[in-house]
Amino acid sequence: MYKDSAKHRIDELTQQLRQHNYNYYVLSKLIISDSDFDSLLKELEELEKKFPEFLQPDSPTQRVGGEPTKDFKSVVHKYPFLSLSNTYSEQEIRDFDTRVRKAIGDEVEYVCELKYDGVAIGLTYENGILKQAVTRGDGIQGDDVTNNVKTIRSIPLKLRNNFPPELEIRGEIYFPLKAFEQLNADREEIGLPAFANPRNSASGSLKMQDPAEVARRPLECFLYFLPGEQNLSNTHYESLNYAKDIGFRISKIIALCKSVDEIFEFINDWDKGRHQLEYEIDGVVIKVNSISDQIRLGYTAKNPRWAIAYKFKAEQAETVLESISYQVGRTGAITPVANLKPVLLAGTTVKRASLHNADIIAKLDVRTGDHVFVEKGGEIIPKIVGVNHDKRNMDSKPVRFINTCPECNTLLIRKEGEVAHYCPNEDNCPPQLKGKLEHFISRKAMNIDSLGEGKIEMLYEHDLLKNVADLYELTYNQLLGLEKIIPAEDGKKEKKISFREKTADNIIKGIEQSKEVSFPRVLYALGIRFVGETVAKKLATYFKNIDALLDAGFDELIEIEEIGDKIAESVINYFSKSEHLEIINRLKDKGIKMVIEESQESGSMVLEGKSFVVSGVFENYSRDEIKNLVEYHGGKNVGSISSKTDYVLAGENMGPSKKQKAEKLGVPIISESDFIKMLG
Ligand code: IVH
């Protein structure tokens, strides 16, 4: 292709792709299929590769272009990044209205908007091109998170239509609720702590060091404020319409109000309606509409005088604390749980609440039989926030935290500097043991997906599994016909599960296949405390085989990069136990990989633990070649899409039902070029 026509086509593709993004993210209209979009994007990428002189920094291909950052640069805001004064009281909203009317007269008009519970962001555009995205910080200066923000597809890299030469706009980046639940489920599966609420996961995502990782988090953004000094329109309402016109995503939920009564109509509607939204809000923002009135009202040191936020009260209910039970987690940590008299709260019946640890119980001085206040804040699990002392029983006594494990009776310990109590019986305490087994079979470990939590439980109950080495001694005949009866509960009938031929066969096959799993993952699968995926990889690469690792002393271990005292102690402690050595010997005898292989040393393993469904026809590789690449780099090919699938790798002509399924389950659909990029 000649240069001229390449340039022409690059411009044309850029234009089309921008329009499609705008249709989808701003107008919510789906006009082009994902695969058609991907093929336009791919064509553009190829052309930009061939003619790098035409590659523009704001090209739709440049969303994940940034390098990983260690520290985010601090940037001083051009306009101070003020926050809003906020209130929970109806009277204070009336007082605000009175103040406004006093200053500017009775002809006032307000705009009511939702108050999104996310992370505030300021975007600057120069000649229509996104130059910088900065967090609020302390209001004077914030962090430059531009590379991460560029991965958010609803934020335009280039503006449309009649944009000014310089523009600053502010809004809120948030984590959609469904995706948040999925993210936490995924994190828990691999033993990472769950995020407490969507806001934390949004801010955590924005501060990740690698933009490619951020791109995998489905962040969204609503824009809601153009600092008025820019003189772009006469009213706030118009400025939002203008923002929409030049390419920004603006919420449709917005109302013009002329009186406090109208304001409260909006507030009450959304206080009730907020649980139907796909994102979290924590109140309503009320802004004076006219920009000249805003200027007249001005600012205090901290807040504009022309706006106020009304915050919804966290929903509370009073109920009785019937008893406290203690749960033993997979790491042996004990969590006290409040069993409550069922009570309706924020649309769901609450029967339990977390009491966190002994310190919290003591601080609340909560006692069995107390009337307690339960609240559902931003957190998913409700919490007890106080006790109604007027209703306390005279003879109630402070709670005595248990001192032995409720599962195995072992004396609990409390480590220095930690709030939780622990059961130290890691190898025999049932939940810890089952936890170890579940971790061993999990995706990033031995990836035996024909077994799951329920089946592990069943095998444990039938005395067929006491440790991970027992898995490799299971036989088809032992499994076939194995039964479990689930007793009738909550109006559901009694249920009987039994292993049929296919199940038994799949389990045996899955276990057999796990013998192919690489040594670093085997090491991770053992579940040694503090030995996560990265540490396991480090240790395996350094020692090359399990025997060398077994012989390693403390000093040698801490010599290795990133291995500190805590990890070294934990490794030595693990291998000092004869039960563990016996398990390792048995695993070795069964052919589990305990040695690093040559190809693993050279292979990148960048796809380790990731599962792919490869579908359609590809341009540069055959489907089999793609599948080989997946495996060569440590990934796994699976036949059909499930919620456990990490990526659908879509070529030309991928079936529409596959696409629909991936979209429904929120599995990212990636193109051949995305995939090649992942390989680095
Ligand atoms: S307007 C000068 N509108 O709430 C005032 N803020 O303290 C500019 N927020 O920091 C803010 N939804 O992060 C505005 N519709 C909305 C908002 C909103 C959420 C956040 C924002 C701000 C905080 C208020």
Side-chain angles (χ1 to χ4, degrees):
M1 195 187 263
Y2 288 113
K3 260 194 168 181
D4 279 359
S5 43
K7 170 93 178 79
H8 180 75
R9 183 67 183 145
I10 285 178
D11 288 348
E12 197 173 62
L13 285 166
T14 304
Q15 197 55 34
Q16 283 177 10
L17 286 161
R18 275 195 197 126
Q19 182 64 37
H20 288 308
N21 259 336
Y22 182 73
N23 289 342
Y24 186 67
Y25 289 104
V26 181
L27 306 180
S28 313
K29 277 191 209 144
L30 188 65
I31 291 172
I32 183 176
S33 72
D34 272 6
S35 61
D36 288 347
F37 183 92
D38 280 349
S39 64
L40 292 180
L41 195 66
K42 193 163 69 194
E43 188 186 343
L44 179 59
E45 236 162 22
E46 304 270 294
L47 280 174
E48 288 173 341
K49 225 185 271 165
K50 274 193 207 137
F51 300 93
E53 62 272 40
F54 299 138
L55 171 65
Q56 297 293 329
D58 60 330
S59 159
T61 59
Q62 297 305 296
R63 288 214 177 256
V64 200
E67 290 295 310
T69 326
K70 259 233 147 84
D71 298 304
F72 296 98
K73 194 173 78 196
S74 189
V75 177
V76 176
H77 298 297
K78 183 169 173 197
Y79 307 108
F81 212 122
L82 300 177
S83 63
L84 301 170
S85 60
N86 58 51
T87 176
Y88 290 94
S89 124
E90 184 172 331
Q91 186 53 45
E92 283 185 22
I93 297 293
R94 294 188 187 279
D95 295 346
F96 163 76
D97 175 58
T98 313
R99 278 197 307 274
V100 169
R101 283 177 200 272
K102 234 189 200 162
I104 60 169
D106 242 357
E107 284 304 294
V108 56
E109 191 174 46
Y110 296 106
V111 178
C112 286
E113 293 167 17
L114 300 180
K115 185 172 181 326
Y116 314 102
D117 197 7
V119 182
I121 194 82
L123 308 174
T124 28
Y125 287 80
E126 277 171 29
N127 296 320
I129 291 165
L130 175 61
K131 277 279 136 55
Q132 215 166 39
V134 183
T135 60
R136 177 173 186 277
D138 60 5
I140 312 283
Q141 54 186 34
D143 287 335
D144 179 342
V145 288
T146 314
N147 283 337
N148 287 347
V149 163
K150 277 187 176 173
T151 66
I152 303 174
R153 303 255 307 249
S154 53
I155 292 183
L157 298 178
K158 182 168 176 28
L159 301 179
R160 319 152 40 84
N161 301 341
N162 215 351
F163 53 78
E166 278 188 27
L167 176 85
E168 170 152 3
I169 189 162
R170 294 190 181 154
E172 200 89 354
I173 291 176
Y174 66 88
F175 213 105
L177 280 172
K178 267 218 189 92
F180 166 71
E181 275 155 29
Q182 183 62 48
L183 174 76
N184 267 352
D186 290 350
R187 286 173 71 86
E188 263 164 21
E189 199 182 309
I190 57 172
L192 287 173
F195 283 111
N197 54 44
R199 180 175 14 91
N200 288 1
S201 58
S203 74
S205 305
L206 271 190
K207 292 288 173 66
M208 285 200 300
Q209 293 175 357
D210 186 358
E213 279 296 318
V214 187
R216 275 179 217 127
R217 305 262 175 110
L219 294 167
E220 293 272 10
C221 182
F222 277 130
L223 284 311
Y224 49 59
F225 179 52
L226 285 129
E229 298 85 337
Q230 299 175 92
N231 237 338
L232 292 165
S233 35
N234 294 326
T235 65
H236 173 64
Y237 192 81
E238 271 171 36
S239 75
L240 293 183
N241 275 334
Y242 170 66
K244 181 172 170 181
D245 189 51
I246 58 176
F248 292 107
R249 183 164 177 265
I250 309 293
S251 169
K252 286 193 190 74
I253 303 174
I254 180 165
L256 282 168
C257 300
K258 289 198 185 291
S259 67
V260 177
D261 287 349
E262 283 176 19
I263 292 175
F264 273 98
E265 212 174 294
F266 185 86
I267 289 178
N268 293 334
D269 279 355
W270 289 106
D271 195 359
K272 280 194 217 95
R274 64 179 152 139
H275 304 296
Q276 260 77 56
L277 294 168
E278 286 166 355
Y279 43 86
E280 285 216 324
I281 59 169
D282 58 347
V284 162
V285 179
I286 303 129
K287 301 174 181 171
V288 168
N289 193 18
S290 149
I291 305 281
S292 57
D293 287 347
Q294 289 186 358
I295 294 169
R296 266 165 74 192
L297 284 156
Y299 293 84
T300 69
K302 281 200 243 144
N303 315 115
R305 286 201 186 87
W306 47 263
I308 191 165
Y310 177 86
K311 298 244 279 184
F312 297 136
K313 286 179 198 68
E315 287 172 71
Q316 241 189 33
E318 188 181 323
T319 186
V320 178
L321 171 62
E322 291 183 328
S323 63
I324 297 178
S325 37
Y326 296 86
Q327 286 176 351
V328 188
R330 136 170 131 74
T331 57
I334 311 289
T335 312
V337 177
N339 298 308
L340 306 166
K341 189 167 164 213
V343 62
L344 202 64
L345 177 63
T348 50
T349 305
V350 173
K351 294 185 204 152
R352 320 182 101 208
S354 172
L355 279 166
H356 304 285
N357 56 55
D359 289 353
I360 303 247
I361 297 181
K363 202 169 137 213
L364 286 166
D365 180 27
V366 59
R367 304 174 181 192
T368 315
D370 272 350
H371 285 251
V372 292
F373 301 111
V374 210
E375 205 169 80
K376 227 178 184 179
E379 281 74 32
I380 299 294
I381 305 164
K383 58 179 179 204
I384 292 182
V385 290
V387 174
N388 186 343
H389 289 280
D390 297 343
K391 295 193 187 163
R392 172 166 282 173
N393 216 328
M394 293 295 280
D395 51 14
S396 74
K397 293 203 177 59
V399 171
R400 284 184 55 191
F401 204 87
I402 48 166
N403 51 25
T404 56
C405 175
E407 297 278 349
C408 70
N409 262 326
T410 306
L411 207 60
L412 300 182
I413 52 166
R414 205 174 186 190
K415 289 180 199 143
E416 227 184 272
E418 287 189 31
V419 282
H421 284 76
Y422 280 93
C423 165
N425 183 16
E426 60 167 318
D427 293 311
N428 300 302
C429 177
Q432 296 192 62
L433 214 166
K434 279 184 258 174
K436 277 209 161 151
L437 289 162
E438 278 158 22
H439 171 73
F440 187 81
I441 62 159
S442 66
R443 255 197 310 169
K444 294 200 168 179
M446 305 304 278
N447 197 12
I448 310 178
D449 57 7
S450 49
L451 279 173
E453 205 177 313
K455 292 189 182 115
I456 290 282
E457 173 96 39
M458 231 164 124
L459 295 171
Y460 177 79
E461 278 170 11
H462 282 87
D463 267 344
L464 291 170
L465 271 188
K466 283 268 170 273
N467 61 50
V468 297
D470 293 344
L471 278 170
Y472 296 91
E473 280 171 19
L474 290 173
T475 63
Y476 176 85
N477 284 339
Q478 278 174 325
L479 297 175
L480 191 65
L482 215 59
E483 276 184 3
K484 182 182 170 85
I485 295 181
I486 301 168
E489 204 194 343
D490 279 348
K492 285 183 204 136
K493 278 201 211 139
E494 180 185 283
K495 226 170 106 184
K496 197 160 93 177
I497 311 178
S498 77
F499 286 170
R500 298 179 196 223
E501 287 86 348
K502 192 154 180 252
T503 314
D505 199 37
N506 279 343
I507 295 176
I508 297 290
K509 271 196 194 129
I511 294 174
E512 203 48 39
Q513 269 168 16
S514 75
K515 293 181 179 167
E516 294 306 314
V517 167
S518 66
F519 176 48
R521 279 171 59 185
V522 173
L523 193 54
Y524 166 67
L526 292 176
I528 305 170
R529 215 162 172 228
F530 306 126
V531 179
E533 267 183 287
T534 324
V535 172
K537 229 181 265 174
K538 283 244 147 70
L539 292 172
T541 319
Y542 183 89
F543 290 102
K544 310 264 190 285
N545 62 62
I546 194 99
D547 294 324
L549 177 60
L550 277 170
D551 285 343
F554 182 81
D555 292 340
E556 188 179 1
L557 283 164
I558 56 167
E559 276 302 298
I560 306 167
E561 200 192 331
E562 280 179 55
I563 309 288
D565 294 7
K566 218 164 72 169
I567 301 175
E569 262 167 35
S570 167
V571 170
I572 292 195
N573 181 35
Y574 181 89
F575 290 121
S576 70
K577 293 195 179 154
S578 57
E579 302 96 293
H580 293 160
L581 297 180
E582 192 197 318
I583 290 174
I584 286 165
N585 282 332
R586 282 173 64 202
L587 290 174
K588 248 193 213 167
D589 287 348
K590 293 289 172 189
I592 311 304
K593 292 196 172 143
M594 294 290 179
V595 178
I596 205 151
E597 285 161 352
E598 278 311 306
S599 67
Q600 277 163 231
E601 285 180 78
S602 51
S604 77
M605 300 309 275
V606 282
L607 305 181
E608 187 154 279
K610 302 270 186 257
S611 60
F612 287 78
V613 170
V614 182
S615 177
V617 182
F618 298 90
E619 195 167 302
N620 300 307
Y621 298 94
S622 72
R623 191 153 63 222
D624 282 341
E625 280 170 338
I626 296 252
K627 286 187 170 175
N628 286 340
L629 276 173
V630 168
E631 272 168 27
Y632 179 71
H633 289 279
K636 187 182 170 196
N637 291 301
V638 289
S640 63
I641 305 170
S642 77
S643 59
K644 288 188 178 167
T645 311
D646 287 297
Y647 297 100
V648 172
L649 178 42
E652 214 75 58
N653 298 334
M654 179 177 83
S657 66
K658 272 214 172 99
K659 185 167 168 269
Q660 262 172 14
K661 189 157 182 201
E663 279 166 358
K664 202 168 131 218
L665 295 173
V667 179
I669 302 178
I670 59 167
S671 67
E672 185 181 357
S673 63
D674 294 335
F675 175 69
I676 302 301
K677 266 195 211 145
M678 279 171 133
L679 305 181

